[in-house]
Amino acid sequence: AQTVTQSQPEMSVQEAETVTLSCTYDTSENNYYLFWYKQPPSRQMILVIRQEAYKQQNATENRFSVNFQKAAKSFSLKISDSQLGDTAMYFCAFAALTQGGSEKLVFGKGMKLTVNP
Amino acid sequence: DAGVIQSPRHEVTEMGQEVTLRCKPISGHDYLFWYRQTMMRGLELLIYFNNNVPIDDSGMPEDRFSAKMPNASFSTLKIQPSEPRDSAVYFCASSTGTGVFWNTIYFGEGSWLTVV
């Protein structure tokens, strides 16, 4: 079974600074996707970024980038130039690629990020 | 597109009552997921459907929980009888594929259930 661990329950950062959220996972699969989802106070789950495990290049979406270390099973999210609107819960998630079928999206417990003015 | 639509947004009910949560997935999405979020357990997948057929219901906590998808545009999650420990936010989500055809899963805004 796959597991996703977010060891930091809460972090805070000053506006315009850079912050890194950590995530580790455990799996015996070789092909999979990793995701970071954001959940603002409205409770909506919003996809921030995703990474295919077979790609060596780290994914980037504007101010959001990941550091994917496959051997270490680590998948951290870096938020540059933090904005007040980044305040939210952030969830790391994992999904295995299976041929001819589907897999569950497994979430970590989440981490609360607060961006202070 | 209106996104995934869930109702009700908030429900408070008494223990023992039946609760029905509703979901309308994004048009054209053939996968539908029900998740439950609690402080203790985080986000858990309860059940998911592909083309209206339940594929994996191993996350459904017990027989009090049931889910149906009578057509491509509607699904329900029912709890009967409800218990205080069922209090949680229930999310519905949809996508156009998973596995080797993985695509982004879009979540609804959630149904916040409180059982007293």
Side-chain angles (χ1 to χ4, degrees):
Chain A
Q2 291 85 13
T3 59
V4 178
T5 302
Q6 294 179 251
S7 57
Q8 306 155 298
E10 194 166 351
M11 292 182 73
S12 63
V13 66
Q14 293 300 120
E15 195 174 6
E17 291 185 346
T18 295
V19 63
T20 299
L21 286 58
S22 63
C23 172
T24 58
Y25 58 94
D26 188 26
T27 183
S28 58
E29 300 286 344
N30 192 47
N31 295 316
Y32 48 87
Y33 283 113
L34 293 161
F35 307 83
W36 279 98
Y37 277 86
K38 169 184 176 181
Q39 186 179 43
S42 66
R43 288 282 182 170
Q44 179 85 32
M45 292 289 286
I46 303 166
L47 178 68
V48 175
I49 198 167
R50 83 178 199 182
Q51 173 81 42
E52 290 87 346
Y54 62 86
K55 290 187 178 179
Q56 292 186 339
Q57 186 172 8
N58 288 325
T60 299
E61 288 286 342
N62 300 315
R63 298 182 296 107
F64 300 89
S65 62
V66 300
N67 182 4
F68 174 47
Q69 301 290 328
K70 191 173 183 179
K73 295 180 181 175
S74 170
F75 183 61
S76 61
L77 174 69
K78 185 171 81 171
I79 306 175
S80 303
D81 186 25
S82 298
Q83 300 176 358
L84 297 179
D86 295 334
T87 293
M89 286 287 292
Y90 285 82
F91 293 89
C92 180
F94 170 100
L97 262 60
T98 58
Q99 189 170 14
S102 305
E103 262 298 347
K104 300 177 184 180
L105 187 60
V106 178
F107 285 87
K109 289 288 183 70
M111 193 225 69
K112 183 179 179 182
L113 175 67
T114 302
V115 180
N116 298 308
Chain B
D1 199 317
V4 177
I5 299 173
Q6 291 186 245
S7 65
R9 289 296 314 280
H10 299 274
E11 175 144 350
V12 180
T13 190
E14 292 185 346
M15 182 174 64
Q17 296 297 307
E18 178 179 290
V19 174
T20 299
L21 308 178
R22 298 173 178 80
C23 175
K24 176 180 169 55
I26 293 173
S27 177
H29 283 192
D30 53 355
Y31 282 87
L32 184 139
F33 307 82
W34 282 101
Y35 283 87
R36 177 173 68 175
Q37 185 179 30
T38 61
M39 288 293 292
M40 290 297 295
R41 300 174 68 89
L43 269 159
E44 303 172 278
L45 177 65
L46 300 178
I47 185 172
Y48 73 90
F49 296 83
N50 176 217
N51 292 323
N52 314 336
V53 176
I55 301 300
D56 185 345
D57 65 354
S58 60
M60 296 285 263
E62 49 199 275
D63 292 343
R64 298 184 298 105
F65 286 70
S66 63
K68 294 182 180 179
M69 192 166 186
N71 57 62
S73 59
F74 184 67
S75 176
T76 60
L77 177 67
K78 187 174 293 187
I79 309 172
Q80 167 64 20
S82 58
E83 296 182 4
R85 60 195 169 114
D86 301 330
S87 297
V89 182
Y90 291 82
F91 286 98
C92 177
S94 70
S95 77
T96 56
T98 63
V100 293
F101 303 108
W102 191 272
N103 281 307
T104 300
I105 289 182
Y106 293 89
F107 283 77
E109 294 183 323
S111 292
W112 199 319
L113 173 65
T114 302
V115 183
V116 298

